[in-house]
Amino acid sequence: MKFQNEPTRWAAVLSLFMGVTSLIAAEFIPISLLTPIARELTITEGMAGQTVTAVGIFAVITSLLLFPLTKSINRRYILLSFSLLLILSNLLVAMAASYSVLLIGRGILGICVGGFWSMASAVTLQLVPTKDVPRALSIVYAGVSVATILSLPLASYLGQLFGWRIVFFLGAGMGVITFVWQFLTLPSLPAQRANSFRNMFALIRQNWVLAGIGATIFSYGGYHIFFTYLRPYLEHELALSAETLSVILLIFGIANCAGTFLAGAVLGKYFRQTMYAIPLALMVTAVLLFWNSHISCGMVLAVIWGFIFGFIPVGWSAWITRTLADKAEMAGGLSVAAIQFSVGLAALIGGLTFDMLGMSGIFIIAAIFMLAAFFLTKSSFFRYAIIAGQHV
C-alpha cells in the first residue's frame, strides 16, 4: 500500500484506464460484428457468439490461478505482458482464416482480461495514497464505460465502413498505445506476499468475505440480466426507430461513464451508505420499469440504470482496497471469477426468464437479484465490523 506522503502516479493510473478500455472493447466488439464475422468464416452467428464465452472461460481460470503461480514476479512485467498478448489476440482475430484461429485469439484475450482485472485493485493501491484510491478506481473503471461506447455503436459503424477485420486491427493499435503508455509510466510493482492456494481457500472461508463475493455476484448479475436485453427492450417494447435506438445506446454509455466518475467522489465520503444505496436504487428502477407503460419514461429509466451501474465496479473494488488491502491480489482474482460467473448466471437465468415471461420477468428477476445483493452487502459489512471492531 502507498503511504500518504508519497506522490500519486496519475499518469500510471491513466495507463490502467487505457488498458481497461482496450481490453473490454476487444472483449465485446464481436457483439456488434457477429453477422459479418459469421458470414466471412462460414459459421453460424451462435458459433461467432461463443467467442465472447471463450473470453469469459479463460478469464475465470486466469483470475484464480494467476497469483498463486506468479508469487514473486514484479507486477509491472506481468501487466506489460498482458498488453503484448492483447495486441497478439487482436491480430490473430483480424487475420483469422478459420474458426479455430478465431477461438485461439479470443482465448488469449480471456487470459489478458482475467489477469488484468484481478490486478487492477492491488496495483491501484501501489500507485496512489489511500485517500485517493476511490478517485483512482473511478478513473480506471471508467474504461468499461468508454469501451462500451467503442465496442457497440462505434465498432458497428466502422465495421460497416471498412469491414470487421479493420476494427480488430484498430484494437491492436489501441493495444500498442497501451503498452507504450504503461512501459513509460508504470513503476516497479513488487508482488504481495502470501499469495498461495492455501491462503486463497482460507480467505473464502471467512463469512464476511463470502457475503461480499455473493453481493458482487448478485449486483453484477442483476445488472446484466437487464443489460443483456436492453436492445430488445428499446427496439421491441418501446418500438424505437433505428436512429433513436443508436442515440439512446450512446446516452446509456455516457451515463454509465458519468456514474463511474461520480462514484469516486461519493464513495470516498459515504462509502458504506452508498454501498447500501446502490442495489436498492437499482431494485427500485427495475420495479419502475416493470410498471412503466410510457416510451419516454422507459428511455429515461434505462439511462438511469446505466448511470447507477457505474457505482458498482468502483464500489466493490474499493471494498477490496478498504477491507483486504493486504490480500488485494487474491481478493481481486476471486472478484473477477465472481463477476464472470455472475455474467454467465445472468445469461442463463435471463434467457430462460425472457423466453417464458418476456421483459416483465426480466425486471422481476433483476429486482430480486438486487434485493439479495442489498442483504448480502449489509451482512458483509456487519460481520466485518464485528471482526475489525470498526465500521468500514
Side-chain angles (χ1 to χ4, degrees):
M1 185 183 299
K2 201 172 185 64
F3 293 106
Q4 295 291 339
N5 59 349
E6 293 185 38
T8 301
R9 299 179 182 272
W10 289 116
V13 171
L14 288 171
S15 78
L16 296 182
F17 159 80
M18 189 64 193
V20 169
T21 302
S22 302
L23 283 167
I24 302 305
E27 181 177 5
F28 291 115
I29 279 174
I31 293 176
S32 60
L33 300 172
L34 285 182
T35 301
I37 291 174
R39 186 188 305 119
E40 186 166 339
L41 295 181
T42 61
I43 58 177
T44 66
E45 290 187 357
M47 292 172 67
Q50 293 306 315
T51 61
V52 178
T53 306
V55 174
I57 292 173
F58 280 90
V60 170
I61 295 172
T62 304
S63 66
L64 293 176
L65 299 181
L66 176 65
F67 298 116
L69 296 180
T70 60
K71 297 178 182 179
S72 59
I73 301 177
N74 192 291
R75 279 22 189 160
R76 167 184 162 86
Y77 303 132
I78 295 179
L79 286 173
L80 291 174
S81 297
F82 286 145
S83 295
L84 289 175
L85 287 176
L86 168 64
I87 299 170
L88 175 62
S89 167
N90 278 305
L91 290 177
L92 281 175
V93 173
M95 296 185 291
S98 66
Y99 185 54
S100 58
V101 175
L102 182 69
L103 285 179
I104 290 172
R106 299 297 288 173
I108 293 173
L109 178 65
I111 295 173
C112 300
V113 170
F116 192 94
W117 274 125
S118 299
M119 299 176 68
S121 297
V123 169
T124 302
L125 274 174
Q126 292 178 276
L127 295 176
V128 301
T130 305
K131 64 181 179 63
D132 290 327
V133 168
R135 180 184 174 193
L137 287 173
S138 71
I139 293 173
V140 173
Y141 281 89
V144 178
S145 307
V146 175
T148 301
I149 297 173
L150 293 177
S151 61
L152 295 178
L154 184 59
S156 178
Y157 176 72
L158 293 176
Q160 290 176 351
L161 287 181
F162 307 111
W164 65 271
R165 293 183 185 274
I166 295 299
V167 176
F168 283 100
F169 276 122
L170 291 173
M174 289 179 62
V176 172
I177 294 172
T178 298
F179 175 81
V180 173
W181 197 337
Q182 291 177 350
F183 182 83
L184 294 175
T185 62
L186 285 177
S188 176
L189 300 166
Q192 288 188 341
R193 297 180 179 180
N195 283 334
S196 67
F197 290 109
R198 175 185 296 178
N199 290 334
M200 180 180 291
F201 290 128
L203 184 64
I204 61 178
R205 281 199 297 267
Q206 299 182 62
N207 290 336
W208 70 271
V209 175
L210 275 180
I213 294 296
T216 301
I217 290 173
F218 280 101
S219 295
Y220 278 88
Y223 166 78
H224 279 282
I225 281 175
F226 175 42
F227 177 70
T228 303
Y229 295 94
L230 174 62
R231 179 158 187 159
Y233 172 70
L234 297 174
E235 193 170 8
H236 302 304
E237 298 291 323
L238 300 185
L240 301 183
S241 64
E243 294 78 10
T244 305
L245 177 64
S246 298
V247 171
I248 293 300
L249 288 175
L250 178 60
I251 294 174
F252 181 93
I254 294 172
N256 184 222
C257 190
T260 303
F261 277 115
L262 183 61
V266 176
L267 286 162
K269 294 182 178 179
Y270 310 103
F271 180 67
R272 182 165 48 88
Q273 299 91 324
T274 304
M275 292 299 290
Y276 293 160
I278 293 168
L280 289 179
L282 286 170
M283 182 189 71
V284 170
T285 305
V287 172
L288 291 175
L289 282 163
F290 175 81
W291 290 108
N292 174 66
S293 59
H294 300 287
I295 294 176
S296 58
C297 186
M299 290 189 292
V300 171
L301 289 171
V303 171
I304 290 173
W305 186 268
F307 172 77
I308 299 173
F309 174 71
F311 284 76
I312 289 180
V314 180
W316 285 110
S317 296
W319 172 74
I320 290 174
T321 61
R322 282 172 176 253
T323 62
L324 294 164
D326 59 331
K327 303 179 182 68
E329 291 188 341
M330 285 191 299
L334 290 172
S335 177
V336 170
I339 293 167
Q340 293 293 335
F341 172 77
S342 74
V343 173
L345 180 67
L348 174 62
I349 296 178
L352 295 173
T353 302
F354 186 76
D355 289 341
M356 292 188 295
L357 302 173
M359 286 305 304
S360 296
I362 291 294
F363 297 139
I364 293 172
I365 297 299
I368 293 173
F369 265 55
M370 289 303 171
L371 184 61
F374 168 73
F375 283 115
L376 284 168
T377 302
K378 289 209 69 172
S379 175
S380 178
F381 277 71
F382 177 74
R383 291 172 183 270
Y384 176 79
I386 293 175
I387 294 173
Q390 59 185 10
H391 290 290
V392 180

